[in-house]
Amino acid sequence: MKENQVTIRADRLNRPLETCFVGKLSSAVFRIVGDIPDDIDGMTVQIGRTDDPTTHQPRTNFTAATTRQEDGTFRCYLAPFFFPDLSDALEYHVLGMDTNGNARWLGTGPLIVRDNPADGSPVPPEIIPADTYIRNPATGLYHKLTAEVNDLGEISVGVDSEGIER
């Protein structure tokens, strides 16, 4: 599956929607399927947020629009800024807009934001940070630590022979 599938059960609103896992500062796509009421014209997804780190007060949810698909489902693209903080205690909410222009709550589900080791970048992190040096106590020089991964996933570690002073 290429998307987080969220199944609406309009007759069972007390039932939580599927748990969605996303990465910190990563984009995500929610596909909303199921028993969507016939009079729903549009839909939004609200993404819960962590409390403000300074004031510890609740913050307003992020809201994202959806796009109706030809098959009657709805697709919601969520940009990386919707997931700025790690948390396993957030929720997302699906709200529909009926043909009379009224909002209708269609369900709530758990949202878990996991760590993204690339800090939101599509570039994978290096094996060893670029500025990692080892001090040789005999010479007082610092030698750069290097690492490489072969095709089998094996890591080989090395040290530059020329040291520098710091």
Side-chain angles (χ1 to χ4, degrees):
M1 177 163 303
K2 300 176 186 174
E3 304 154 324
N4 286 292
Q5 184 166 308
V6 176
T7 305
I8 299 297
R9 287 276 316 263
D11 63 333
R12 295 290 309 267
L13 293 176
N14 60 329
R15 180 180 159 263
L17 300 174
E18 288 82 3
T19 300
C20 290
F21 291 86
V22 297
K24 177 182 174 184
L25 296 173
S26 293
S27 66
V29 175
F30 287 13
R31 179 169 297 278
I32 302 163
V33 302
D35 186 24
I36 299 169
D38 294 335
D39 65 339
I40 295 296
D41 269 349
M43 207 174 281
T44 59
V45 174
Q46 288 191 5
I47 301 295
R49 299 174 66 191
T50 58
D51 290 342
D52 185 289
T54 306
T55 65
H56 305 289
Q57 295 298 311
R59 295 190 279 187
T60 305
N61 292 344
F62 288 122
T63 301
T66 64
T67 305
R68 183 187 292 271
Q69 305 298 294
E70 290 181 16
D71 63 0
T73 64
F74 288 82
R75 182 180 187 276
C76 182
Y77 171 78
L78 297 157
F81 67 82
F82 281 92
F83 312 111
D85 302 310
L86 298 176
S87 179
D88 60 359
L90 297 177
E91 293 180 321
Y92 68 94
H93 312 277
V94 178
L95 300 165
M97 185 66 68
D98 69 19
T99 54
N100 295 317
N102 299 311
R104 184 181 303 170
W105 173 66
L106 297 174
T108 295
L111 176 68
I112 298 175
V113 181
R114 299 282 184 181
D115 193 18
N116 172 3
D119 289 329
S121 169
V123 178
E126 297 179 42
I127 300 166
I128 298 175
D131 59 350
T132 304
Y133 288 83
I134 298 173
R135 183 178 176 274
N136 181 341
T139 64
L141 297 176
Y142 290 84
H143 299 268
K144 186 172 183 175
L145 182 64
T146 60
E148 293 180 358
V149 178
N150 66 16
D151 294 338
L152 301 174
E154 300 167 335
I155 297 176
S156 59
V157 179
V159 179
D160 283 350
S161 58
E162 293 185 31
I164 62 169
E165 291 183 17
R166 281 196 159 190

